[in-house]
Amino acid sequence: MTIHIGTAPDAWGVWYAQDPRQTPWERYLDEVARAGYGWTELGPWGYLPTDRTELEEALTSRNLALCGAAVVHPLAQPDAQDTLFTRLAPLCETLVATRTPWLLLMDDSDVYATREGRISDHDTWQRMMRVITETGRMVSQTYGLRLLLHPHVGTAIETEEDIVRLMSDTPEEYVELCYDFGHHAYTGADAMAFMRKYASRIPYYHFKNLDETIHARAMADGTPFMEVFQNGVMCELDKGILDFGAVVSFLKERNFEGFGVVEQDMYPCPPEKPFPIALHNRTVLRQLGL
């Protein structure tokens, strides 16, 4: 069993390539290394250096490596495949150059979704599935990479029903899951049960927990999810409704080989906030044997 523990710029409140409210990338990498992580996701394209020599030097000088990179794209747009493929070329080339196998794809088509976050139109859904499948095929055949679809609150692939439908409508050889415990629990589904049932399709996890009190109040009040995230609904791994001791035990039982990436959605946040949280989460996982 080999479970690599990484983190991501998201855990430092980074959602955009440039934003004055975000932690500068040099400080981010310094704090990732100080907190005890050996891996990081790339974050929004343009946040970390896009020059590959500069990027590799920034990582290796801190004993870090990339574990994956995410791209957020409106997959329901009629021209989604063309616009996505154009964006992916420099990103995929960077992943190849840094020997990073995982490309994470997340939808950004909330304007096409119903209030519950699901695509109601059959033709639109099927077009999305073709885009996702062809993206997986392209990154595999052209770059030797593996595609992970990342379900996410507030997008067209959000609920457990959406995810199961996605898995049914896309080939496993080209489309696997980046499974995010916090986002799955946010929708009201049983995140632990899903992990156990569909583990064969999950080579890559986002470790994240959910504050039950904040979540319940937000659901009762109908608070928009972005505001709920800013209120701290995603919490430290040992302080939410999910039992990460049980998660780790399950992964060990399966002899899991892959990544657990610690995230904690909290954009925007003051620059001094992320490091103590990241350090605490890394300590929690060490105490669980990771």
Side-chain angles (χ1 to χ4, degrees), residues 94-123:
T94 295
L95 292 178
V96 172
T98 54
R99 301 164 297 282
T100 307
W102 302 109
L103 175 69
L104 287 65
L105 177 61
M106 193 180 96
D107 177 54
D108 191 23
S109 298
D110 56 305
V111 295
Y112 290 88
T114 67
R115 184 175 180 182
E116 290 76 25
R118 293 192 294 274
I119 292 292
S120 57
D121 177 70
H122 175 78
D123 291 341

Side-chain angles (χ1 to χ4, degrees), residues 250-269:
F250 175 78
L251 295 178
K252 288 181 176 180
E253 289 167 7
R254 292 192 67 246
N255 291 316
F256 175 74
E257 302 279 341
F259 282 90
V261 176
V262 179
E263 283 195 327
Q264 192 161 328
D265 301 311
M266 51 184 176
Y267 169 87
C269 67

Side-chain angles (χ1 to χ4, degrees), residues 38-150:
W39 308 81
T40 175
E41 289 184 2
L42 189 63
W45 179 251
Y47 175 65
L48 294 183
T50 56
D51 179 87
R52 289 165 208 152
T53 300
E54 183 183 2
L55 176 62
E56 290 240 53
E57 182 177 337
L59 294 169
T60 57
S61 66
R62 297 169 172 86
N63 294 314
L64 298 174
L66 288 183
C67 54
V71 61
V72 182
H73 200 77
L75 301 177
Q77 292 273 17
D79 63 347
Q81 183 167 309
D82 292 339
T83 55
L84 176 59
F85 280 22
T86 298
R87 292 182 64 196
L88 285 181
L91 179 56
C92 290
E93 290 165 4
T94 295
L95 292 178
V96 172
T98 54
R99 301 164 297 282
T100 307
W102 302 109
L103 175 69
L104 287 65
L105 177 61
M106 193 180 96
D107 177 54
D108 191 23
S109 298
D110 56 305
V111 295
Y112 290 88
T114 67
R115 184 175 180 182
E116 290 76 25
R118 293 192 294 274
I119 292 292
S120 57
D121 177 70
H122 175 78
D123 291 341
T124 301
W125 175 268
Q126 290 303 319
R127 183 170 66 243
M128 286 182 60
M129 296 304 104
R130 287 193 295 272
V131 170
I132 294 167
T133 298
E134 289 308 309
T135 301
R137 190 191 318 274
M138 185 276 289
V139 301
S140 174
Q141 296 179 351
T142 304
Y143 297 102
L145 303 175
R146 295 171 67 180
L147 182 70
L148 301 166
L149 197 286
H150 181 6

Side-chain angles (χ1 to χ4, degrees), residues 39 56 91 177 183 185 201 219 239:
W39 308 81
E56 290 240 53
L91 179 56
L177 292 179
H183 284 270
R201 194 92 177 238
M219 295 302 99
K239 297 180 181 179

